[in-house]
Amino acid sequence: MLNLTFKIILSMVLLVLAGCATLNQAQCISANWYDLGFDNALDGNKSSFVAEHTEACQEYAITPDFEAYKEGWLQGIKKFCSPQSGWRYGMAGDYYRNTCSTLDDRPFLEAYRMGRKLYDKKAEIRSLKSEISSLQRNKDQEKDNKLKKDKHVYQYIDRLSLKLDLQLLELDLFRLEQSARSAGFW
């Protein structure tokens, strides 16, 4: 029984470790390095990301085609560094790694920041809605306990305050969405 448990745990550890590599053996063997560089650039990775692939493929004695990777990455980064891509990247909440710094990244950054503001505002609204729901659940549970009237009043004021905060956040979100529409992103 102990031997079986050990084998199961070892298998799980190996699966986790294998999941950490950027490429497996089959991918290293069949890799189109140009396409991989292009795709890595579109994901917002720096050109140095090829080092991750090098490390993964080294285990199988395969060396990446650095020239093809770089060529693909250079084409992909031009597409990635567009304002539309910056907008999508920001709206997804992705972290920008200064990948476009070798190009004029101002249009990308402007769009990224606008998208990121929208993403952050929506996250803030979700958090506040969750807090309001939590207060409401607590209120419903405490009714059964017949709390003192003044505690109910304070909880009511807290909920009202949070609801007002929520309305203000939703107004901010509306304004950000309007700005995004006028900039052509929405």
Side-chain angles (χ1 to χ4, degrees), residues 33-158:
W33 293 101
Y34 177 91
D35 289 347
L36 194 55
F38 188 87
D39 291 343
N40 286 171
L42 285 182
D43 288 340
N45 292 310
K46 292 188 174 207
S47 62
S48 60
F49 192 72
V50 73
E52 303 289 325
H53 301 315
T54 303
E55 186 178 329
C57 294
Q58 185 177 19
E59 181 179 340
Y60 314 112
I62 297 171
T63 304
D65 181 345
F66 295 108
E67 288 303 313
Y69 181 90
K70 185 174 181 178
E71 238 179 87
W73 187 87
L74 288 171
Q75 292 306 309
I77 203 64
K78 289 176 189 172
K79 189 170 182 177
F80 174 76
C81 293
S82 69
Q84 293 76 18
S85 179
W87 165 255
R88 284 189 303 275
Y89 210 66
M91 281 294 292
D94 291 327
Y95 175 73
Y96 174 57
R97 301 175 199 90
N98 292 324
T99 314
C100 301
S101 60
T102 58
L103 306 170
D104 178 13
D105 64 352
R106 287 174 292 184
F108 174 90
L109 283 174
E110 184 179 317
Y112 170 78
R113 288 181 184 130
M114 187 179 291
R116 186 60 196 230
K117 278 182 186 176
L118 274 162
Y119 173 84
D120 291 342
K121 192 63 64 177
K122 287 179 178 185
E124 197 175 349
I125 288 171
R126 280 190 306 273
S127 174
L128 197 53
K129 283 181 176 180
S130 175
E131 191 175 342
I132 290 170
S133 293
S134 177
L135 279 175
Q136 185 63 42
R137 280 191 304 275
N138 288 342
K139 175 191 161 209
D140 294 342
Q141 290 171 356
E142 290 171 352
K143 271 185 182 177
D144 298 335
N145 296 338
K146 298 182 180 168
L147 288 178
K148 294 180 183 174
K149 186 175 182 171
D150 56 339
K151 186 170 182 181
H152 281 294
V153 170
Y154 289 124
Q155 288 175 343
Y156 177 76
I157 291 170
D158 285 345

Side-chain angles (χ1 to χ4, degrees), residues 2 135 173 176:
L2 184 62
L135 279 175
L173 177 63
L176 288 170

